[in-house]
Amino acid sequence: MNHSLPDSEILYSALVNRDSNFEGIFVVGVKTTGIFCRPTCTARKPKRANVEFFASAHDALLAGYRPCKVCTPLEYKGAAPDWLKPLLTEINDNPLIRLRDSDLRARGLDPSRVSYWFKRHHEMTFQAYLRALRIGQAFGRIKHGESVTRTALESGYESLSGFADSFKRTAGFSPNKSQESQLIVTTRILTPLGPMLAGATDDGICLLEFVDRRMLETQLKRLSKLLNAECAPGFCKHFDKLSSELEEYFSGKRREFDVPLVLPGTPFQQRVWTALQTIPYGSTRSYKEQAETIGLPNAVRAVARANGDNRIAIIIPCHRVIGADGNLTGYGGGLWRKRYLLNLESSHGPR
């Protein structure tokens, strides 16, 4: 993908300052070492005369550079380190597993190191993450007809009261109310632009946001209130399809998404979000044109606010709305991501 890069002096300044806003925009090749790095690499910065810039890791590899072992530019940002991957695979294969610190040590892992990674990437301790997974699994079993008693025992709880207390702390309601309630199950999905947080109910995807978006916590609270549901990490039938479609999108093989969506909002927001989905791949529309599309040409500011309230990035393509003068404006995930997405789509052309 041949992106047009900013001026090389701007790129070198971003490299020297380890500017995370340029993650995904370029990588840098160091001529004296033959290695290429992310802009945020912590290694000592080379002289200006010794670097060249590339729009992608693929371009750097074609130029003969090797990936840096410090910043690992071939890995998605937020990817689990190699030492943790066997543990994550074990948890994915058995979400009901219980692991004490001694169990982690027996696997050659430092419990404090494991806990630090989970706090940084999931904002909860490792043990809290395991408990939330167990409750998410239990909720699904009870909602689909299994008894509370059997679910509690098979989830590893020794008493119904202990199970009920843990369940209510996580889900916000007692296990007996599972069949008339719902839970927003969340997971992290890695992309070339950084990790995203996905949320889903039984009916479809209700959240897809970059984890570093400032409004993410507010969006989670709004979504929880709108759906009358708490959020908990776990597994959902829609996540595999979502991950597959995102991977196809970023590789230029998908232009439209088929994964089902859940879009609670006001009637006006619904109109705006529906209109966003009519903007063709590889095309853009101004905020004024967006307002005209829904039949309210004077509601430009309200349309912009509704765009900002979109909770499902990329799939509902608010990144395709730009300023009337053609400038990129207003994207919750950061303008650098908006630029990347538009470049990605334009490089593969409209239908």
Side-chain angles (χ1 to χ4, degrees):
M1 188 167 53
N2 294 319
H3 296 173
S4 56
L5 287 172
D7 180 80
S8 61
E9 294 306 317
I10 294 175
L11 297 181
Y12 186 69
S13 175
L15 175 68
V16 171
N17 294 304
R18 299 189 176 95
D19 191 340
S20 61
N21 287 324
F22 284 81
E23 276 283 350
I25 300 299
F26 76 91
V27 295
V28 59
V30 183
K31 299 174 183 177
T32 52
T33 62
I35 288 172
F36 72 94
C37 304
R38 300 175 184 270
T40 53
C41 186
T42 56
R44 188 167 62 90
K45 299 305 178 184
K47 295 179 179 179
R48 173 66 186 86
N50 294 333
V51 300
E52 57 180 324
F53 301 101
F54 301 95
S56 69
H58 178 259
D59 292 342
L61 288 169
L62 289 179
Y65 287 94
R66 307 184 310 278
C68 173
K69 293 182 178 180
V70 176
C71 64
T72 56
L74 290 180
E75 291 186 4
Y76 285 168
K77 188 179 179 182
D82 289 341
W83 59 267
L84 188 63
K85 288 178 180 177
L87 178 65
L88 295 180
T89 299
E90 187 175 6
I91 295 170
N92 288 338
D93 290 343
N94 182 14
L96 300 180
I97 195 170
R98 289 173 176 267
L99 295 169
R100 300 181 177 86
D101 285 355
S102 57
D103 297 318
L104 294 178
R105 293 189 187 97
R107 289 163 172 77
L109 298 171
D110 178 355
S112 61
R113 190 183 188 193
V114 172
S115 186
Y116 174 79
W117 190 89
F118 274 86
K119 284 181 180 178
R120 182 178 179 186
H121 292 275
H122 292 281
E123 297 184 350
M124 62 179 70
T125 66
F126 175 60
Q127 292 301 332
Y129 181 82
L130 291 183
R131 282 194 296 271
L133 283 184
R134 289 196 295 271
I135 295 304
Q137 290 286 305
F139 167 76
R141 294 173 66 174
I142 298 169
K143 188 174 181 66
H144 293 95
E146 197 161 302
S147 73
V148 173
T149 300
R150 180 177 179 180
T151 301
L153 294 176
E154 293 186 357
S155 297
Y157 288 86
E158 297 178 356
S159 70
L160 281 177
S161 61
F163 172 70
D165 288 344
S166 181
F167 191 105
K168 191 168 185 178
R169 282 198 304 271
T170 300
F173 51 85
S174 68
N176 290 323
K177 294 184 177 179
S178 292
Q179 292 196 8
E180 66 251 29
S181 304
Q182 63 180 343
L183 195 65
I184 301 168
V185 182
T186 61
T187 192
R188 289 164 63 94
I189 296 177
L190 299 181
T191 77
L193 297 183
M196 302 185 80
L197 183 70
T201 66
D202 281 348
D203 296 325
I205 301 298
C206 57
L207 177 76
L208 184 64
E209 290 279 16
F210 292 101
V211 298
D212 58 1
R213 184 182 179 183
R214 293 179 183 177
M215 286 283 290
L216 180 57
E217 186 174 348
T218 300
Q219 291 283 40
L220 285 169
K221 289 179 180 178
R222 287 178 183 168
L223 186 61
S224 185
K225 185 176 181 179
L226 286 166
L227 294 178
N228 191 27
E230 295 297 322
C231 299
F235 307 98
C236 174
K237 61 185 178 182
H238 302 298
F239 287 154
D240 285 345
K241 183 174 179 62
L242 174 62
S243 296
S244 176
E245 291 189 359
L246 283 172
E247 185 175 347
E248 290 169 357
Y249 169 81
F250 278 108
S251 65
K253 299 175 182 177
R254 175 173 289 274
R255 299 178 179 218
E256 298 177 356
F257 292 84
D258 302 320
V259 66
L261 304 178
V262 176
L263 304 172
T266 67
F268 179 77
Q269 288 174 328
Q270 298 277 357
R271 289 174 67 183
V272 172
W273 298 338
T274 298
L276 283 172
Q277 294 176 78
T278 67
I279 305 175
Y281 179 100
S283 302
T284 58
R285 185 182 290 168
S286 71
Y287 290 97
K288 181 174 175 56
E289 290 170 334
Q290 179 76 343
E292 292 170 347
T293 297
I294 65 170
L296 296 170
N298 296 321
V300 176
R301 290 186 179 180
V303 164
R305 282 196 299 272
N307 276 10
D309 289 332
N310 172 32
R311 289 179 292 273
I312 302 184
I314 300 177
I315 296 177
I316 298 181
C318 54
H319 62 275
R320 294 176 191 160
V321 182
I322 61 176
D325 59 0
N327 287 328
L328 304 188
T329 58
Y331 190 62
L335 291 183
W336 68 274
R337 287 191 173 110
K338 186 169 188 170
R339 183 182 301 111
Y340 182 101
L341 294 171
L342 293 176
N343 283 340
L344 168 70
E345 295 178 1
S346 65
S347 69
H348 291 90
R351 284 188 185 277

